[in-house]
Amino acid sequence: MSEWRASEDDVRSLIAARHGDPFSFLGQHEVAGQIVVRAFVPNAETIIVEDLGGSPLAELPRRPGTDLFEGPIPGRRTRFGYRLHARNSGGEWRFADPYSFGAVLGETDDYLLVEGTHKQLYEKLGAHLITHGGVDGVHFAVWAPDARRVSVVGDFNDWDGRRYQMRKRVDSGIWEIFAPGLGEGVMYKYEIVGPDGVVLPLKADPFGFGSELRPSTASVVARTDHFEWSDDAFLAERGQGDPRRKPMSIYEVHMASWRKADGWRFLTYDELADQLIPYAVEMGFTHLELLPISEHPLDASWGYQPIGLFAPTRRHGEPAGFARFVDRAHQAGLGVILDWVPAHFPTDPHGLAHFDGKPLYEYADPRRGFHPDWNTAIYDFGRKEVSNFLSASALYWLDRFHVDGLRVDAVASMLYLDYSRKPGEWLPNPDGSNQNHDAVAFLQRVNQLAYGEHPGSTTIAEESTSWPGVSQPVYADGLGFGFKWNMGWMHDTLDYMSLDPVYRRFHHNKLTFGLLYAFSENFVLPISHDEVVHGKRSVLGRMPGDDWQQFANLRAYYGFMWGHPGKKLLFMGQEFAQRREWNFDAPLDWFLLDAPSHAGVKDLVRDLNRAYRDKGALHARDCEGEGFRWVVTDDRDQSVTAFLRFGEGGDPPVCVVSNFTPVPRFGYRIGLPFAGRWREVINTDAAAYGGSGIGNLGAVHAAALPSHGLPASADVILPPLATVYFEFDPKPDSKAAPR
């Protein structure tokens, strides 16, 4: 036997797709002082080695009974560039041999992944269009440390796992291969043999930048590093000032059901840019918050069970389309916040579960690694490579797509080991405590990276417990988020508003209790998607009384919310009083806007947003106790509240007064900090909004008569089921009629 021939063991292992290191004998190798080329090419009858100029150098003999071709190259003693020329009865084709190329990744990449500190890990793992050795192609890299073999498969190799078997980087567990000649749009998956020798279901790329449209599940080679942006001015302005002192009124949107095209089709990212962005701008919102747009297999999960943490969902188009959407939002002055889900992942066979045949991304022990509420797997936050994978995802959206913030879903489920578990169903720390220290460290790391790498961006926690310091800096032992959803305020006030006004006097504390802790965190007041599904009814549907009273209650509630300290969030459809619950599979009921009552609510929300943005007293100190003072807090018998909001410098104060009964109050005295004219700038009972039109003729006049501990006061008219804003006018119009 010729000494250059591969061993029978190598050949058998290759054909069985069980070879641990195919690069060790495929491609070109120096054997006994000569260069030998070996190529595994199913369907070929002959293989000729050509130089890069196309000149034939040698025909490779076929190993009998196999698709392996091998042979020495006459006159060659050192490695050289070559192509393979294959022929069969059906034709011929030329291609570069993937096994003729060296590694792309380096030792630094191995080290940083294992250390868990590779900030731009998405630039190394996944599928990247590169030029390697002077040849264009795609570099594939995936982390699967316990796998025996990993192959990248697709149409380009007939989904044959025997071909394109990858090189393992032993120090990190990364597998890589350069596939010459491939380009953008190629579909692919990974075929993995687990440590027990079993071939796993084909896996999508954890770092895939593109995906097929569900129900298909292949990853798609896509570029996300070459978008053309026109948002420099927006990003520069975003980086100026303190976000806590800026207006933030968020329109929360599920892209798939905001509107449908032709009554059924998903809108593309460009169509959404044409329709959603102008609408949000006209409504006065400062930000869009998108329910997860990371690729996910199940529509009914709303995106909260994602598999592609680096891929904008194909439901609305390609990644470039989403980049254009963000760019156009920025040009219109709108920020874009993404719901981001690092808490758990679905166990679909093409996803992360048991990715290399063993628990890899998830905790091995189901008492920590399985979520009983959602039947999902929980990330192993203590494994550095997993933490690095997740933190790289956070940075990826901020970096590649210029998004302005991340709202992190289900934070409470990450923080507590016993979250939604009964005794005996969870694994405590050695000291018996229930805090997930690994998750805490992970969240702190993500927030430090987000703010450090992308100044001006923000992170928001959906955290439903009293965990201390969620929005405090990491250096102060906080989690480091910019803001936290105020779930307690949301539940208390919605419970209060659902009561018949005759009973509200007995639950007055549900309106006032939130101010006891309103400044312990930087809060967002959310009326979110979770509050209008699963039998909870729409916000309008929760309101008591006849149709007129329901709308009046809703308008009064929105007025109270926009005047209350805290940033604002409203889920789509609630801005025009959607009557039914949200259905993820159907568009909003836009026809309702033909009714004046619904159009009036929409106009009110628009005017509330404009007042909130324009008046520093309503936003500059949302997160500071100095920006708030109670005026009337104890009038439970009449269900009236009144409070003052203060801004900075020359911002005139605003007094917010709510009457949560259907009885109008005439001559109701409220204390005010200044004597003089106070303009009525918002009245939710205005006829233009569908109300009764009772009001204060545009202004009231405060006299120097102390009341409620303040040096001045005024008699005001409180319309039924209404909230009224009065703004101090430091330069009153002498022609205005005083009251």
Side-chain angles (χ1 to χ4, degrees), residues 9-66:
D9 287 343
D10 278 337
V11 175
R12 281 195 297 268
S13 296
L14 177 73
I15 294 172
R18 291 297 189 277
H19 199 287
D21 185 13
F23 278 86
S24 66
F25 80 102
L26 288 179
Q28 59 177 320
H29 296 272
E30 183 179 347
V31 180
Q34 56 187 335
I35 295 296
V36 173
V37 173
R38 302 188 186 99
F40 181 73
V41 190
N43 303 319
E45 294 176 359
T46 62
I47 292 291
I48 297 173
V49 178
E50 299 178 343
D51 64 23
L52 297 180
S55 299
L57 299 177
E59 180 174 341
L60 302 181
R62 178 197 292 271
R63 188 74 167 252
T66 76

Side-chain angles (χ1 to χ4, degrees), residues 414-415 435-445 467 478-479:
M414 302 169 67
L415 295 175
Q435 294 89 2
N436 189 331
H437 300 300
D438 293 333
V440 170
F442 162 71
L443 290 170
Q444 291 175 327
R445 172 71 174 162
W467 185 281
L479 293 182

Side-chain angles (χ1 to χ4, degrees), residues 5 59 129 232 279 312 359 366 390 411 456 655 704:
R5 292 170 61 88
E59 180 174 341
L129 291 136
D232 289 350
Y279 177 78
L390 292 169
V411 170
C655 185

Side-chain angles (χ1 to χ4, degrees), residues 81-103:
Y82 66 92
R83 292 188 309 171
L84 299 177
H85 183 179
R87 293 191 181 114
N88 61 22
S89 58
E92 59 183 313
W93 65 99
R94 289 178 169 85
F95 61 97
D97 181 3
Y99 292 96
S100 67
F101 295 87

Side-chain angles (χ1 to χ4, degrees), residues 132-464:
H132 186 45
V135 177
D136 294 335
V138 178
H139 176 247
F140 296 95
V142 64
W143 179 59
D146 289 318
R148 286 192 185 179
R149 188 261 297 171
V150 180
S151 301
V152 60
V153 295
D155 290 338
F156 54 88
N157 62 8
D158 298 324
W159 301 87
D160 184 349
R162 298 173 302 167
R163 302 158 66 182
Y164 290 77
Q165 297 181 53
M166 303 172 78
R167 170 192 285 114
K168 185 176 184 179
R169 304 185 64 83
V170 178
D171 290 343
S172 62
I174 295 174
W175 299 74
E176 67 167 326
I177 193 169
F178 175 70
L182 299 188
E184 203 162 2
V186 168
M187 295 183 298
Y188 69 98
K189 282 187 175 180
Y190 294 112
E191 183 178 285
I192 299 175
V193 176
D196 56 1
V198 173
V199 180
L200 303 177
L202 295 181
K203 295 288 189 178
D205 190 346
F207 280 82
F209 299 149
S211 176
E212 288 186 288
L213 177 63
R214 58 92 179 101
S216 299
T217 56
S219 299
V220 177
V221 175
R223 286 191 66 185
T224 62
D225 61 348
H226 67 313
F227 305 135
E228 295 183 4
W229 295 92
S230 304
D231 61 351
D232 289 350
F234 180 90
L235 295 180
E237 183 178 354
R238 186 189 77 177
Q240 302 299 312
D242 184 347
R244 297 173 303 170
R245 297 189 170 215
K246 295 179 181 180
M248 178 183 283
S249 183
I250 302 167
Y251 187 46
E252 188 189 28
V253 174
H254 179 245
M255 280 184 153
S257 61
W258 182 72
R259 276 194 175 128
K260 297 278 191 182
D262 307 318
W264 63 271
R265 176 176 62 81
F266 295 129
L267 293 177
T268 67
Y269 290 119
D270 290 311
E271 289 171 329
L272 284 159
D274 290 339
Q275 299 177 41
L276 173 57
I277 290 172
Y279 177 78
V281 169
E282 193 274 332
M283 287 296 295
F285 290 101
T286 66
H287 291 75
L288 294 169
E289 180 177 320
L290 307 178
L291 269 62
I293 57 103
S294 304
E295 194 56 78
H296 53 282
L298 181 64
D299 290 0
S301 76
W302 315 334
Y304 288 102
Q305 293 194 12
I307 280 181
L309 283 185
F310 295 81
T313 178
R314 190 59 179 260
R315 289 166 175 82
H316 307 291
E318 298 180 346
F322 180 63
R324 290 192 297 271
F325 176 88
V326 176
D327 196 44
R328 289 179 62 181
H330 286 175
Q331 292 179 56
L334 273 178
V336 178
I337 299 168
L338 297 187
D339 276 17
W340 182 61
V341 189
H344 62 128
F345 59 90
T347 56
D348 297 60
H350 70 285
L352 298 179
H354 283 66
F355 187 78
D356 61 358
K358 294 172 61 178
L360 181 65
Y361 286 90
E362 67 269 48
Y363 288 105
D365 192 319
R367 291 173 294 176
R368 288 197 181 181
F370 185 76
H371 202 295
D373 284 354
W374 304 311
N375 292 321
T376 52
I378 300 172
Y379 288 105
D380 183 352
F381 303 108
R383 184 157 191 171
K384 292 180 179 179
E385 298 95 335
V386 175
S387 174
N388 201 165
F389 162 75
L390 292 169
S391 61
S393 169
L395 291 178
Y396 171 78
W397 295 104
L398 296 167
D399 179 13
R400 292 285 174 88
F401 291 98
H402 289 201
V403 301
D404 303 285
L406 301 172
R407 176 266 193 186
V408 182
D409 182 64
V411 170
S413 73
M414 302 169 67
L415 295 175
Y416 298 96
L417 297 172
D418 59 346
Y419 182 87
S420 197
R421 296 178 187 270
K422 299 175 183 177
E425 295 179 348
W426 61 285
L427 188 64
N429 294 313
D431 62 0
S433 61
N434 67 341
Q435 294 89 2
N436 189 331
H437 300 300
D438 293 333
V440 170
F442 162 71
L443 290 170
Q444 291 175 327
R445 172 71 174 162
V446 166
N447 284 316
Q448 287 177 314
L449 287 171
Y451 285 105
E453 297 293 316
H454 295 277
S457 64
T458 192
T459 58
I460 305 170
E462 185 216 14
E463 203 287 309
S464 56

Side-chain angles (χ1 to χ4, degrees), residues 537-564:
R537 299 165 291 171
S538 66
V539 180
L540 177 69
R542 293 182 183 222
M543 301 296 127
D546 58 24
D547 200 62
W548 189 92
Q549 288 183 334
Q550 282 189 301
F551 278 93
N553 272 300
L554 182 65
R555 294 192 304 268
Y557 179 53
Y558 285 168
F560 177 80
M561 173 180 172
W562 259 258
H564 194 285

